[in-house]
Amino acid sequence: MSASCAIRRLVALAAALALLALPLRASAADVLVFAAASLTDALDRVATAWSEETANRAILSFAGSSALARQIQQGAPADIFISASVEWMDAVEASGDIRAGTRRDLLANTLVLIAHGRDVSPVTIDETLDLAGMLGDERLAMALVEAVPAGIYGKAALTALGLWDDVAPLVAQADNVRAALAFVARNEAPLGIVYATEAVVEDNVTIIANFPPGTHAPIILPAAMTAESQSPAAEAFLAYLSSPNAREIWAEFGFIVLD
Amino acid sequence: MWEAAANWLGPAEWQAVRLSLRVSFWATVASLPLGIFVAYALARWSFPGKQLLNGLVHLPLILPPVVTGYLLLIAFGRRGFIGQYLEAWFGIVLSFRWTGAAVAAAVMAFPLMVRAIRLAIEAVDPKLEAAAGTLGAPPAWVFVTVTLPLILPGIVAGAILAFAKAIGEFGATITFVSNIPGQTQTMPSAIYAFLQVPGGGEAAGRLVIVAIVIAMAALFLSEFIARRVAKRVAGG
Amino acid sequence: MTLEVTLAHRQGDFDLDVQFQTPPGVTVFFGPSGSGKTTLVNAIAGLLRPQRGRVVADGWVLVDTGAKHFLPPHRRRLGYVFQEGRLFPHLSVRQNLAYGRWFNPGQSPGEFDRVVELLGIGHLLARRPGALSGGEKQRVAIGRALLAAPKLILADEPLAALDEARKEEILPYFERLRDEVAVPIVYVSHSSFEVARLATTVVALRHGRVVALGPPEQVLGDVAAVGPRGAASVLSVRVVAHHADGLSELTCGAGTLWLPRVPEPPGTTLRVRIAAQEVILSRARPQGLSALNILVGTVEDIQKGRGPGALVALRIGRDRLLARVTGRSIRAMGLEPGQTCHAIVKSVAVAPEDVGTTTSPAHAG
């Protein structure tokens, strides 16, 4: 056993002990899930449903995919990882932190253009859309366009449509999609580019257009079991994510369920 | 050697460094008078709501920076309950501007500044101020000629601490004014953006080194100035 | 100028309640610590807002709670010399001295040089307070107070923080102030030496009340004011000559007094404080004693204390000399008022700090 392996065991043990301090249900097994922040609302519902059906418990830890991936590489005791981007799942897989054969593409998301308020007319996104004109001297809220997946997809789509150069100076980049959404919800920025699933949970914004599928790489959310997972229920939870019950919840939040 | 150093960072990185320096400088300078005033009030006056003011000043130290940033957005955004009047009456817009980044940095650094200055004021013997009063000096004059010179080391220490904190401020800044290269993309925002991309560690590392150098230089400078001022004040 | 004070102020357990009026000159607030001296002087300075009272200096109302009148300290035209000096550490001696002048622009330019010369601090002007000795600091503090062109000088135990040698250095400056500068002085002290040397009028305080008020000769001999151990006489003497054996010859109303050499030239009038417990009494003229000073007087009165001691007052010419002896001695000697009695005073029992220059008649009046 290598030293780092021993450290991981210790970390896992410490986490397990910490969990023991929480109230336990009879014969319950716990699953620690590291999931991209954009899954927060939907995954909460799925996990609750699973707990009610199986008496097991899923403990959810939401953060940016990059932070979660780095933590898993450093030996965090996660059982399941759901990433918002293929790249970060690739990175974790390449470092040998994913159990072979457990990775699959779980969900797909779509990118939308949103506007502040409820009473806004839809537009069509194509090469002729005068996005800069719609903004005037105001800002287009996006996630970090070089760093956060939603921002990267958005920039790619605008570039493919030939709109990026005009609009680039007007982009306000937030550190995650939720913050970009908040800018539009508070009308600090009149328009924003976010995932369809984010727009659904916010009352003060309206989706005014969907980005055509060809304008950016498919938005895939892969899920996998970690190499160090000790939980007997981890595999069951991973399978449950594609169950009919779960599919219903995903769809309700605007996700597209793959496979 | 300068050229090598200049080329070591890319233009975007230089832009972030320059912006950080500008934002932190103005955040510190602009909040200093209020910082001194609040520190003086907390150190010397008793008034109803003093503990409330004290708590309010320290809030940014306790709250997650993202929350502070969001509160700033609600208050000082263009549609914020203060921001809309700032724009209507004075034409001042903070959101998505470097000035907003300076406000966020100032708010986050304010507790550190006030603490340092307050300690310095509490160390000044009120009897000296009373002595100045008996010699005919009105209170404002006493403050300028006696209190202020005596607390100068504390003011320098507080200002530099605030500057160093402002250089490192991230959470409130990005939440309030987002990340716009040349406008609001400070060093920490740039470092954060680099770290989000697989393989971005190297560029982030360069900026981290710059940040450390600036913070260290500021601390050394503060030590140096504080010592000199203390010596001058103590007489010898 | 006269000083009229009526004050009532309660602070925790301490309760100050005084009413008095003093004539021009040096008024000394005299009493042990906790007697209310500093509270009183701070109320006059305006550093303390009295709960009830009225303070009038030379017709100028500083505070009158009845009329809701309170002059803030900076408008009272005071020169306050504090116990600890309170020089501004960040300013040079020259800047310290000049501080009060900013607010009194009418002062003549020669005044600065005159005060510097009076206090002998010309060589210190460029220094910082941190580089001064305790005595030098107090001299600068006095100068700073004087240069604020005060209508009233307040001095709160300005010598208390100094050792004996330093006290000797500073006291003459206060005497010069009293005799050469026409500014009334309120001086706080718990030392009967300082009272004897400086006071025109003494206000003796105990537990926040005035227990005696009058010239120092009277108050220092008052057991109620100073306690039996503190009782002392203050004699006016004139220097006759200095002798080669280190003694000075002085005359008082009833004879010659030999004291360790005093610095003042012959002809100078001095005040000498003689502690009552240093005086021995004898009915017959004593012979073969080592003591040089034997004064003859008449027993004026005998105050019996609560303990075994008693205070005998002798009338010697114009002066009153007190002796502290036991009640048993009085009975053994059969002492009674009206009898002639000899008082023996050891020369070395009079310490240098007991000797000071006298008030000039102009200010004593």
Side-chain angles (χ1 to χ4, degrees), chain C residues 151-162:
Chain C
K151 290 188 166 182
L152 175 68
I153 290 177
L154 304 175
D156 183 8
E157 306 231 20
L159 309 184
L162 304 178

Side-chain angles (χ1 to χ4, degrees), chain A residues 111-116 123 125 129-145 150-159 161-177 179-185 187-195 205-206 208-209 211, chain B residues 78-79 95-96 174 176-181 184:
Chain A
L111 208 57
V112 295
L113 182 64
I114 56 168
H116 175 78
V123 296
I125 296 182
L129 181 69
D130 183 14
L131 206 47
M134 290 166 70
L135 288 165
D137 64 346
E138 301 210 66
R139 297 279 173 178
L140 175 67
M142 296 175 70
L144 290 169
V145 297
I152 296 170
Y153 292 130
K155 180 184 173 184
L158 292 173
T159 307
L161 291 164
L163 301 174
W164 175 249
D165 289 343
D166 286 344
V167 100
L170 299 172
V171 173
Q173 305 176 48
D175 62 326
N176 59 61
V177 195
L181 182 69
F183 283 141
V184 181
N187 202 14
E188 289 298 326
L191 301 174
I193 298 175
V194 297
Y195 293 129
V205 304
T206 308
I208 57 170
F211 279 86
Chain B
R78 290 184 85 157
R79 274 81 188 177
S95 56
F96 305 135
I174 199 163
F176 179 30
V177 292
S178 86
N179 180 29
I180 303 168
T184 62

Side-chain angles (χ1 to χ4, degrees), chain C residues 37-322:
Chain C
K37 309 184 296 284
T38 297
T39 310
L40 195 52
V41 82
N42 280 342
I44 295 172
L47 298 181
L48 176 120
R49 226 177 236 271
Q51 284 147 0
R52 270 188 306 114
R54 186 178 136 89
V55 177
V56 185
D58 212 7
W60 190 28
V61 183
L62 300 178
V63 58
D64 185 347
T65 53
K68 299 217 184 300
H69 173 77
F70 178 84
L71 221 50
H74 66 275
R75 299 200 16 226
R76 293 194 176 194
R77 304 285 310 272
L78 303 167
Y80 199 147
V81 182
F82 298 90
Q83 187 172 337
E84 338 79 275
R86 300 197 194 176
L87 298 180
F88 305 123
H90 58 297
L91 300 179
S92 69
V93 167
R94 181 187 294 280
Q95 290 166 322
N96 265 282
L97 290 171
Y99 192 87
R101 290 211 301 173
W102 290 338
F103 317 102
N104 304 288
Q107 206 165 56
S108 74
E111 182 68 5
F112 186 84
D113 297 334
R114 206 176 67 79
V115 168
V116 166
E117 201 254 340
L118 175 82
L119 296 164
I121 49 179
H123 61 295
L124 307 174
L125 291 178
R127 292 201 208 160
R128 295 282 180 133
L132 302 182
S133 72
E136 287 167 341
K137 276 183 194 162
Q138 275 313 18
R139 268 147 69 194
V140 174
I142 296 167
R144 187 179 66 173
L146 275 178
L147 285 167
K151 290 188 166 182
L152 175 68
I153 290 177
L154 304 175
D156 183 8
E157 306 231 20
L159 309 184
L162 304 178
D163 59 34
E164 292 305 322
R166 297 283 161 246
K167 281 182 188 166
E168 264 316 294
E169 178 190 326
I170 302 298
L171 260 175
Y173 291 108
F174 274 103
E175 288 173 331
R176 292 181 73 176
L177 232 56
R178 177 192 64 198
D179 302 338
E180 295 175 23
V181 181
V183 180
I185 300 174
V186 168
Y187 189 103
V188 173
S189 178
H190 68 268
S191 151
S192 54
F193 300 123
E194 290 169 38
V195 173
R197 285 186 59 167
L198 292 176
T200 312
T201 309
V202 184
V203 179
L205 296 161
R206 283 273 157 114
H207 308 299
R209 301 287 189 281
V210 176
V211 289
L213 187 145
E217 300 82 355
Q218 178 194 324
V219 174
L220 287 184
D222 186 341
V223 180
V226 295
R229 281 168 207 287
S233 335
V234 180
L235 304 186
S236 279
V237 299
R238 196 164 51 78
V239 181
V240 176
H242 300 304
H243 291 263
D245 59 359
L247 293 181
S248 293
E249 180 183 351
L250 309 111
T251 59
C252 64
T256 303
L257 209 55
W258 297 88
L259 294 184
R261 189 180 177 111
V262 297
E264 288 75 11
T268 317
T269 307
L270 296 177
R271 292 174 167 200
V272 177
R273 174 186 177 276
I274 297 172
Q277 52 196 355
E278 302 290 354
V279 177
I280 297 169
L281 296 181
S282 174
R283 290 291 303 275
R285 182 168 186 89
Q287 304 212 317
L289 279 182
S290 65
L292 291 170
N293 302 312
I294 300 171
L295 303 170
V296 187
T298 321
V299 176
E300 204 166 64
D301 60 71
I302 299 171
Q303 301 178 53
K304 287 242 168 61
R306 271 174 298 179
L311 207 57
V312 180
L314 298 186
R315 170 60 56 185
I316 302 176
R318 292 193 319 274
D319 295 313
R320 215 169 109 95
L321 184 69
L322 296 176

